[in-house]
């Protein structure tokens, strides 16, 4: 059984408060966690957290003049519970003080954050198990680059994040003369999965996408940037132009989010277009954000 509750988050200068409240108590609020922290107090239908940003395993993302503290409110349902376990993102954004330096080793090229309305998009290079930022920006040819894209929804209905298009380039901005290498095109088709071990990883949450990208021969030893178009979309509005498809050896093109609808990927071998014509003004089911990560380098292990 799904649980419906009001969640109010207030971001203090160095702390966060979160109030969970249900009109009709259904969840065992003692099972709520903010990161690694238990509720400060709880009762039937309510839970309250008052925590420092240095506690609870908050993650720190740095991009330009913004510090982004992120965590997850989770509900760990007991085995005999009728309620479903769930995860809800919690994010606080702050202006980065001029004299602020992270005690953690975070590479500037690794994470980039973009605000669009009340949505916060992030594109990042990750470590091998996607548990934190990449520890290096140099990748040997043939190795896997873990890439994660996410969107934080402050007040939106649940949205599905899609990678509509990604290209590698040798410049931080795309120009007609830029040298480019297509990775994802044709409205969500992972081209690199056809000839390599690249693939979309199973989703941990609808607002997040994980891509394992096998490095390829492109601009060897030079700076490389990945340019992507991120789309936050209505989960019920998938079609041949709103999808995430990768090629699985022995099976063909498969839809990440529902194998039974893999026919939406049939157009990956031709031209993907919607049956219905939508104007830009009518794109009310989602929002698009362009994002860039890099630079990083692809190195030849034999050189």
């Amino acid at each position: 059984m799904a649980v419906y509750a009001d969640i109010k988050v207030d971001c203090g200068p160095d702390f966060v408060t979160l109030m969970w409240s249900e009109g009709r108590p259904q969840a065992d609020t003692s099972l709520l966690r903010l990161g690694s922290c238990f509720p400060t107090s709880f009762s039937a239908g309510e839970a309250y957290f008052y925590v420092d940003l240095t506690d609870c395993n908050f993650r720190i993302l740095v991009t330009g003049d913004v510090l982004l503290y992120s965590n997850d409110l989770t509900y760990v349902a007991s085995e005999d519970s009728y309620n479903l376990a769930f995860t809800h993102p919690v994010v606080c954004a702050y202006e980065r003080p001029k004299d602020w330096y992270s005690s953690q080793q975070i590479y500037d090229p690794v994470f980039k954050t973009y605000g669009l309305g009340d949505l916060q998009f992030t594109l990042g290079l990750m470590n091998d198990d996607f548990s934190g930022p990449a520890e290096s920006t140099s990748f040997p040819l043939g190795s896997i680059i873990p890439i994660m894209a996410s969107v934080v929804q402050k007040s939106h209905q649940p949205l599905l994040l899609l990678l509509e298009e990604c290209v590698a380039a040798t410049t931080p901005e795309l120009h007609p003369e830029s040298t480019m290498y297509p990775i994802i095109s044709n409205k969500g088709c992972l081209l690199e999965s056809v000839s390599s071990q690249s693939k979309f990883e199973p989703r941990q949450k609808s607002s997040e996408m994980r891509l394992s990208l096998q490095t390829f021969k492109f601009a060897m030893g030079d700076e490389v940037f990945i340019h992507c178009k991120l789309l936050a979309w209505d989960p019920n509005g998938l079609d041949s132009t709103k999808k995430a498809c990768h090629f699985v050896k022995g099976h063909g093109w498969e839809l990440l989010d529902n194998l039974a609808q893999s026919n939406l990927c049939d157009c990956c071998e031709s031209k993907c277009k919607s049956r219905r014509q939508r104007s830009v003004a009518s794109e009310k089911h989602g929002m698009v954000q362009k994002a860039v990560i890099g630079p990083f380098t692809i190195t030849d292990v034999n050189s």
Side-chain angles (χ1 to χ4, degrees):
M1 180 170 58
V3 175
Y4 300 94
D6 290 325
I7 301 173
K8 182 180 180 182
V9 177
D10 286 321
C11 300
D14 55 4
F15 64 89
V16 175
T17 64
L18 184 149
M19 174 62 78
W20 157 289
S21 57
E22 292 180 87
R24 298 173 57 191
Q26 295 175 319
D28 180 351
T29 53
S30 69
L31 298 178
L32 288 166
R33 302 287 185 269
L34 180 55
S36 59
C37 289
F38 290 72
T40 307
S41 63
F42 60 88
S43 60
E46 286 191 349
Y48 177 71
F49 292 85
Y50 183 104
V51 300
D52 292 335
L53 289 170
T54 54
D55 295 334
C56 310
N57 293 330
F58 271 88
R59 301 177 293 274
I60 308 174
L61 308 184
V62 186
T63 172
D65 296 328
V66 177
L67 290 180
L68 197 67
Y69 287 81
S70 65
N71 214 325
D72 294 302
L73 177 69
T74 57
Y75 181 72
V76 185
S78 58
E79 292 183 0
D80 57 350
S81 172
Y82 291 102
N83 295 322
L84 300 175
F86 69 86
T87 300
H88 182 84
V90 175
V91 176
C92 288
Y94 300 89
E95 183 178 353
R96 178 180 180 179
K98 293 182 179 179
D99 59 351
W100 187 93
Y101 295 95
S102 173
S103 59
Q104 306 176 31
Q105 188 177 15
I106 296 180
Y107 293 81
D108 281 341
V110 169
F111 272 97
K112 296 293 171 65
T113 303
Y114 305 82
L116 182 62
D118 58 354
L119 298 182
Q120 197 90 35
F121 290 87
T122 301
L123 184 66
L125 301 176
M126 307 298 290
N127 58 14
D128 289 344
D129 61 359
F130 292 90
S131 62
E135 298 175 358
S136 172
T137 54
S138 178
F139 300 91
L141 181 64
S143 66
I144 298 296
I145 305 177
I147 298 173
M148 186 168 74
S150 63
V151 60
V152 174
Q153 307 142 207
K154 297 178 182 178
S155 60
H156 272 259
Q157 63 178 1
L159 293 172
L160 185 73
L161 184 72
L162 298 169
L163 289 172
E164 186 174 85
E165 179 183 290
C166 289
V167 299
T170 54
T171 54
E173 297 181 358
L174 291 180
H175 306 287
E177 64 273 15
S178 297
T179 303
M180 291 181 284
Y181 184 98
I183 299 169
I184 299 173
S185 70
N186 214 353
K187 305 293 185 179
C189 302
L190 178 56
L191 302 181
E192 271 300 289
S193 61
V194 175
S195 58
S196 74
Q197 298 177 36
S198 298
K199 62 179 179 178
F200 291 126
E201 299 291 348
R203 286 191 193 268
Q204 305 298 307
K205 57 184 77 171
S206 64
S207 58
E208 182 180 285
M209 280 202 75
R210 297 180 176 188
L211 167 63
S212 290
L213 179 66
Q214 187 174 28
T215 52
F216 38 82
K217 283 192 175 182
F218 175 76
M220 304 295 293
D222 294 333
E223 290 188 342
V224 176
F225 299 82
I226 292 182
H227 300 253
C228 291
K229 186 182 293 186
L230 281 56
L231 174 65
W233 193 253
D234 179 356
N236 299 315
L238 293 181
D239 62 24
S240 59
T241 64
K242 308 291 185 298
K243 63 188 186 304
C245 298
H246 56 184
F247 190 86
V248 179
K249 308 299 185 289
H251 295 273
W253 288 98
E254 292 186 354
L255 186 69
L256 173 66
D257 296 295
N258 186 348
L259 285 177
Q261 289 187 281
S262 291
N263 63 304
L264 295 180
C265 304
D266 291 348
C267 62
C268 286
E269 299 289 347
S270 55
K271 174 74 172 176
C272 295
K273 52 187 177 181
S274 178
R275 295 178 180 177
R276 292 173 295 175
Q277 296 296 320
R278 292 191 181 98
S279 67
V280 174
S282 68
E283 291 281 354
K284 61 184 179 181
H285 295 290
M287 301 182 78
V288 177
Q289 175 66 52
K290 292 182 179 179
V292 186
I293 48 172
F296 61 90
T297 56
I298 302 172
T299 59
D300 190 344
V301 293
N302 297 317
S303 62

